[in-house]
Amino acid sequence: MSNQRPGSISEFFHTKDRKNANYLKINQQDGICDACKQNEIKNKINWKEREKKLIKLLAKHRKKNGEYDCLVPGSGGKDSAYQAHILKYKYKMNPLIVTWPPILYTDYGLNNYNNWINIGGFDALVVRPNGKVMKELTKLSITNLLHPFQTFILGQKNIAPKIASKFGINLVFYGENEAEYGNPIAENNSSLRKKSYFAVKNYNKIFLAGLKISDLIKKNKLKYSDLKIFLPISDKEINKKKIEIHYLGYYLKWIPQEAFYYAVKNTGFSPRPFRTQGTFSKYNSIDDKIDDLHYYTTFIKFGIGRATYDASQEIRNKHLTREEGKNLVKKYDGEFPDRYFSEIMKFLDLREETFFKICDKFRSPHLWKKEKNIWRLRHNVNNDGTDD
């Protein structure tokens, strides 16, 4: 994973995570991304022992009165479908599903969600934010950050502990360890995440859509009550309610392709009926029409597109060779996702030419060079950039 991806190479380990680092004798300046380090760690872990820890944790929280004893956030993708199903049917928990829905559901994404609930067999709660505010914040996120997915990501992450608090649920499960996709090991490798970005002490220090909360209220005529649903639970409340936040991928060996097969078999999950633009796969992050555009913006900002993310993960899990991955990146990375583009721009009241001007503004000169009126990367994994 390129070091142009924010957080792809961590600068330090938390003290409690150093024992994990000992698997690799890691030098933090060795140029190896955390996703690869995590992959090596994953293959050295005694997963039977980890499962014993999971069983102990579940026994601590399991309720015998029919109430929900854990909460699983998700919008119907393969990973959340897998984690909810295995918790309920293998480990005999009673999970509540909570969904912060995609900004613009795809037909097949919505069908997967309905199959997850109906075929998988779960109680579910959908939390729909104020549509007018959601649209405005998404538009501002594009204008200020070139980040069309920020509002969805924040909602998806932040809503689960809040709902757990409302329902008296003390155990929240997210899915795969996010270092699987390149996030820092230090943020993700611990089993217990009572704090971190799931809770906050000072709301005045939070930025949303690239602006301070106070500026959104003053300049954009939004109310604090409009924004609160997007913000994390307070540090005080999460500690008072003794809510524990865990990654199931810490306890069970997580391979995205295997999660896909499991979801297909047990919850009626189906891949896209066509290849996802910008990559070679059909089953990753297919719920939201804006998903494809989000990955295109990462290509603009960081020089790495969706094919890079997918190929890197498949190489680490030995489903592709590096040469195969490089060829796929060359063929698909940066492909413009035009399938839903006009619909998205119309929904957001954003002119298409304005979007492209914003993209050009976010092209870092150390990554991009314009030749004959065409933008090209200076460097890429195939070593055929303008400066390679």
Side-chain angles (χ1 to χ4, degrees):
M1 181 53 66
S2 168
N3 66 355
Q4 297 304 306
R5 182 190 188 278
S8 61
I9 299 180
S10 65
E11 297 177 4
F12 61 90
F13 279 94
H14 291 292
T15 303
K16 61 186 176 184
D17 289 324
R18 290 194 178 278
K19 61 182 180 181
N20 293 323
N22 288 338
Y23 282 119
L24 303 173
K25 298 180 180 178
I26 291 172
N27 171 358
Q28 287 303 300
Q29 301 302 320
D30 60 7
I32 299 174
C33 74
D34 270 1
C36 284
K37 292 171 182 176
Q38 172 61 24
N39 190 265
E40 289 193 44
I41 290 171
K42 183 172 73 174
N43 291 322
K44 293 178 183 289
I45 288 171
N46 184 328
W47 289 105
K48 288 186 178 180
E49 291 300 315
R50 284 287 177 89
E51 187 181 27
K52 288 179 182 177
K53 290 183 179 181
L54 174 63
I55 291 170
K56 185 176 179 180
L57 172 68
L58 298 179
K60 172 185 171 184
H61 290 277
R62 187 177 288 108
K63 297 178 181 178
K64 298 180 180 179
N65 59 359
E67 294 183 0
Y68 305 117
D69 44 30
C70 65
L71 185 144
V72 175
S75 58
K78 61 179 174 50
D79 294 314
S80 51
Y82 164 74
Q83 72 199 64
H85 193 277
I86 203 167
L87 282 168
K88 180 170 183 175
Y89 292 101
K90 181 176 181 179
Y91 296 105
K92 309 305 178 185
M93 298 296 284
N94 184 25
L96 172 66
I97 307 303
V98 62
T99 296
W100 177 279
I103 300 167
L104 288 170
Y105 251 123
T106 60
D107 292 341
Y108 39 87
L110 183 57
N111 187 59
N112 281 332
Y113 173 79
N114 290 330
N115 284 346
W116 180 29
I117 303 306
N118 297 329
I119 296 175
F122 299 100
D123 292 347
L125 180 68
V126 177
V127 181
R128 293 197 68 91
N130 180 320
K132 183 178 179 181
V133 175
M134 183 76 163
K135 183 186 293 187
E136 184 170 357
L137 290 177
T138 301
K139 186 175 180 179
L140 285 169
S141 295
I142 292 174
T143 303
N144 297 327
L145 304 170
L146 194 59
H147 192 349
F149 223 36
Q150 191 194 54
T151 45
F152 174 75
I153 291 172
L154 289 176
Q156 186 184 53
K157 287 290 183 185
N158 292 335
I159 200 64
K162 292 180 178 180
I163 298 300
S165 177
K166 298 289 184 185
F167 278 79
I169 301 170
N170 300 107
L171 182 61
V172 176
F173 270 111
Y174 290 89
E176 71 277 18
N177 184 321
E178 292 185 19
E180 188 75 49
Y181 297 103
N183 285 3
I185 292 174
E187 290 184 7
N188 299 290
N189 209 48
S190 174
S191 61
L192 178 60
R193 310 304 307 163
K194 271 191 177 178
K195 297 185 180 178
S196 79
Y197 53 74
F198 296 106
V200 66
K201 290 183 178 179
N202 189 347
Y203 285 103
N204 293 326
K205 293 185 177 180
I206 292 180
F207 281 71
L208 188 58
L211 299 169
K212 287 184 178 180
I213 299 298
S214 57
D215 289 337
L216 280 169
I217 293 171
K218 291 177 184 177
K219 298 177 182 179
N220 295 85
K221 298 180 181 180
L222 294 171
K223 298 177 182 177
Y224 179 72
S225 58
D226 293 329
L227 303 173
K228 190 173 182 181
I229 194 171
F230 294 90
L231 305 177
I233 193 171
S234 71
D235 189 67
K236 182 178 180 181
E237 183 175 357
I238 202 170
N239 286 323
K240 180 181 178 181
K241 297 293 183 70
K242 298 181 180 179
I243 297 170
E244 296 185 18
I245 298 173
H246 294 252
Y247 286 102
L248 191 60
Y250 175 83
Y251 300 100
L252 303 176
K253 189 174 184 179
W254 201 284
I255 300 174
Q257 196 174 85
E258 296 302 318
F260 163 65
Y261 293 138
Y262 184 100
V264 169
K265 181 179 179 180
N266 294 287
T267 70
F269 182 88
S270 295
R272 247 181 179 146
F274 44 80
R275 178 184 63 81
T276 296
Q277 290 181 305
T279 190
F280 53 89
S281 71
K282 293 183 177 182
Y283 63 80
N284 286 321
S285 299
I286 61 173
D287 310 334
D288 199 327
K289 293 177 180 178
I290 289 182
D291 233 317
D292 304 348
L293 191 64
H294 163 62
Y295 280 99
Y296 178 76
T297 62
T298 70
F299 182 69
I300 299 299
K301 290 185 290 187
F302 313 126
I304 48 177
R306 194 164 188 172
T308 293
Y309 286 91
D310 288 349
S312 297
Q313 180 268 120
E314 297 279 11
I315 291 166
R316 288 191 295 271
N317 286 302
K318 302 188 186 305
H319 297 140
L320 287 177
T321 66
R322 181 172 170 80
E323 286 306 309
E324 288 171 333
K326 287 168 64 176
N327 288 333
L328 288 166
V329 167
K330 186 177 182 68
K331 187 171 183 178
Y332 295 120
D333 231 28
E335 178 184 17
F336 184 72
D338 60 9
R339 186 180 298 273
Y340 302 118
F341 178 66
S342 294
E343 181 184 351
I344 294 167
M345 293 297 104
K346 184 177 180 180
F347 173 76
L348 296 174
D349 298 320
L350 188 65
R351 293 171 63 87
E352 293 184 17
E353 54 266 36
T354 300
F355 175 81
F356 291 119
K357 287 179 180 178
I358 295 170
C359 285
D360 286 348
K361 186 177 76 171
F362 277 87
R363 292 182 192 267
S364 296
H366 77 288
L367 295 176
W368 292 96
K369 186 176 182 180
K370 203 169 190 179
E371 290 186 341
K372 298 180 180 179
N373 211 34
I374 296 175
W375 287 105
R376 292 185 59 201
L377 285 172
R378 292 181 179 273
H379 302 284
N380 60 46
V381 71
N382 284 287
N383 294 318
D384 58 6
T386 63
D387 297 356
D388 285 324

